[in-house]
């Protein structure tokens, strides 16, 4: 993939990593983009950009 089309603040990436790790701990599976989007409350393009960096 190329560079992220949506700028994502580093703090949001850090938070997303914690959310993803918590999801993995609770469910035993990696978080998917729709779940990540719902947990973070961000628009789909930003969720895609975040997921690409996890």
């Amino acid at each position: 993939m190329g560079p992220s089309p949506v700028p994502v603040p580093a703090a949001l990436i850090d938070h997303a990593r914690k959310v993803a790790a918590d999801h993995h701990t609770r469910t035993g599976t990696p978080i998917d983009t729709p779940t990540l989007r719902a947990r973070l409350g961000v628009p789909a393009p930003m969720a895609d950009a975040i997921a690409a960096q996890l």
Side-chain angles (χ1 to χ4, degrees):
M1 284 186 79
S4 168
V6 178
V8 182
L12 187 53
I13 295 293
D14 289 343
H15 179 63
R17 283 191 178 113
K18 290 179 182 132
V19 168
D22 177 63
H23 178 86
H24 190 269
T25 298
R26 287 186 299 106
T27 67
T29 58
I31 198 165
D32 60 17
T33 304
T35 303
L36 183 65
R37 183 179 140 225
R39 294 281 307 274
L40 296 177
V42 297
M46 182 169 278
D48 290 339
I50 293 166
Q53 296 184 51
L54 294 182

